[in-house]
């Protein structure tokens, strides 16, 4: 059962690829090894990484980041509603500055369903335009009358049941820059990858890249909504940025080699012959 049918893989017939052995070889472990799940990890002055836990019961499932600017805080990924509350409380223990923006790296629930919680805290959800296109495709309960992904997720998560979908309302087609002279964060669409609407956050001064699920560190790759062929190309664009630190969408943060490993993993899967 180790064989992955290329057709099944490309069409997303399988959900999470749990090829643990290969992933461990090709996409981990974390060479820096400094972060600890559930703890705010200071990556550079004013720049934090928070590792979530991939579990049905965890509050914070995806990884988060936040940058404390002169006048406001920008959060990377909204997480689930419970994760949003957890992250907001951690930010509040560090600074009184207002949380103004929550950047959804993509439309998935563990990265974007906490938007409403951020809105209630005074922040605006921000995303690449592709996130809205993906939400229109999958969030049929919001855009239409047919239950969609939010409603499916709400069956298993009380925090989702008690919140509501809030699509991002500040949208960028290619990039959006936050720069107060001290810190600079470039939100960038690099191409189709894990979904058709992924964007990353690039901090050129510190050479830190927050990838969302364009890159994960561990057996967390979900391929159902993306395009693996284009994903390999998009990872090339990400690699060319020359990141020193890569804060992935799931799993520990790492250095630039995790992008190489993620790409090698998909190349190996694509090259695997179908029997
Ligand atoms: Zn995702």
């Amino acid at each position: 059962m180790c064989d992955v049918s290329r057709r099944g893989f490309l069409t997303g017939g399988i959900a999470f690829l749990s090829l643990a052995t290969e992933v461990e070889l090709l996409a981990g472990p974390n060479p820096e090894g400094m972060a600890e799940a559930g703890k705010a990890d200071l990556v550079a002055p004013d720049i934090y990484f928070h590792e979530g836990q991939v579990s049905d019961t965890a509050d914070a499932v995806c990884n988060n980041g936040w940058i404390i600017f002169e006048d406001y805080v920008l959060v990377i990924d909204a997480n689930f509603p419970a994760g949003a509350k957890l992250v907001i409380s951690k930010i509040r223990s560090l600074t009184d500055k207002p949380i103004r923006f929550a950047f959804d790296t993509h439309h998935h629930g563990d990265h974007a369903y906490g938007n409403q919680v951020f809105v209630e805290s005074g922040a605006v959800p921000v995303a690449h335009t592709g996130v809205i296109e993906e939400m229109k495709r999958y969030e049929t309960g919001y855009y239409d009358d047919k239950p969609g992904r939010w409603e499916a997720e709400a069956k298993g998560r009380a925090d989702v049941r008690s919140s509501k979908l809030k699509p991002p309302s500040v949208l960028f087609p290619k990039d959006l820059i936050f720069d107060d002279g001290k810190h600079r964060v470039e939100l960038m669409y690099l191409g189709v990858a894990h979904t058709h609407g992924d964007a990353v956050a690039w901090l050129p001064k510190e050479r830190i890249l927050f990838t969302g699920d364009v890159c994960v560190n561990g057996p967390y790759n979900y391929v159902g909504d993306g395009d693996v062929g284009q994903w390999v190309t998009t990872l090339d664009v990400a690699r060319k940025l020359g990141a020193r630190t890569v804060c992935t969408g799931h799993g520990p943060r790492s250095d630039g080699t995790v992008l190489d490993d993620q790409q090698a993993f998909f190349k190996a899967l694509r090259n695997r012959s179908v029997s």
Side-chain angles (χ1 to χ4, degrees):
M1 285 303 291
C2 281
D3 249 12
V4 174
S5 142
R6 182 182 291 185
R7 205 166 130 254
F9 174 65
L10 291 174
T11 56
I14 48 176
F16 283 92
L17 288 173
S18 297
L19 299 172
T21 314
E22 282 182 64
V23 173
E24 275 160 24
L25 284 171
L26 293 166
N30 157 41
E32 294 195 349
M34 292 162 64
E36 191 182 332
K39 294 262 163 67
D41 172 26
L42 182 67
V43 186
D46 302 321
I47 300 159
Y48 289 83
F49 171 70
H50 183 270
E51 188 185 335
Q53 289 174 295
V54 180
S55 135
D56 289 342
T57 54
D59 286 344
V61 173
C62 81
N63 294 342
N64 286 94
W66 58 88
I67 296 93
I68 303 174
F69 284 85
E70 182 81 26
D71 303 319
Y72 61 87
V73 180
L74 162 67
V75 180
I76 294 159
D77 271 323
N79 220 305
F80 277 121
K85 286 181 183 164
L86 180 73
V87 163
I88 289 169
S89 75
K90 296 204 173 191
I91 295 171
R92 281 288 149 262
S93 70
L94 294 165
T95 179
D96 291 333
K97 290 176 186 174
I99 301 167
R100 288 270 188 254
F101 304 99
F103 162 51
D104 299 337
T105 57
H106 60 292
H107 73 281
H108 285 155
D110 56 330
H111 297 256
Y113 283 0
N115 281 352
Q116 177 64 23
V117 173
F118 278 100
V119 166
E120 286 161 11
S121 301
V124 178
V126 179
H128 170 59
T129 47
V131 169
I132 291 289
E133 286 160 27
E134 292 283 68
M135 281 190 175
K136 285 181 177 167
R137 197 168 293 133
Y138 299 111
E139 300 295 356
T140 48
Y142 181 91
Y143 291 99
D144 205 345
D145 286 339
K146 202 169 135 233
R149 289 204 179 164
W150 176 282
E151 290 72 25
E153 196 69 56
K155 287 179 187 162
R157 285 193 67 109
D159 62 334
V160 173
R161 276 197 298 281
S162 62
S163 188
K164 62 180 182 180
L165 181 71
K166 186 71 176 175
S169 56
V170 171
L171 307 172
F172 60 94
K174 181 140 181 57
D175 55 27
L176 181 66
I177 296 169
F178 297 79
D179 191 334
D180 64 2
K182 188 174 175 196
H183 292 300
R184 182 178 175 89
V185 178
E186 301 175 4
L187 308 184
M188 299 189 294
Y189 173 72
L190 305 181
V192 172
H194 170 68
T195 71
H196 288 74
D198 301 284
V200 302
W202 169 234
L203 284 62
K205 290 184 183 175
E206 298 85 0
R207 310 203 75 72
I208 297 169
L209 183 66
F210 287 88
T211 63
D213 291 356
V214 170
C215 187
V216 295
N217 192 1
Y220 309 120
N221 277 304
Y222 173 79
V223 299
D225 294 344
D227 181 299
V228 173
Q230 292 184 70
W231 199 337
V232 168
T233 308
T234 299
L235 281 164
D236 260 336
V237 182
R239 289 169 68 215
K240 280 181 187 141
L241 292 169
R244 210 159 37 210
T245 302
V246 176
C247 298
T248 57
H250 296 282
R253 70 179 171 88
S254 186
D255 60 19
T257 60
V258 74
L259 295 169
D260 304 339
D261 294 345
Q262 172 89 341
Q263 190 185 46
F265 174 66
F266 286 132
K267 280 184 175 170
L269 282 169
R270 277 171 64 75
N271 290 336
R272 182 176 288 213
S273 59
V274 180
S275 54

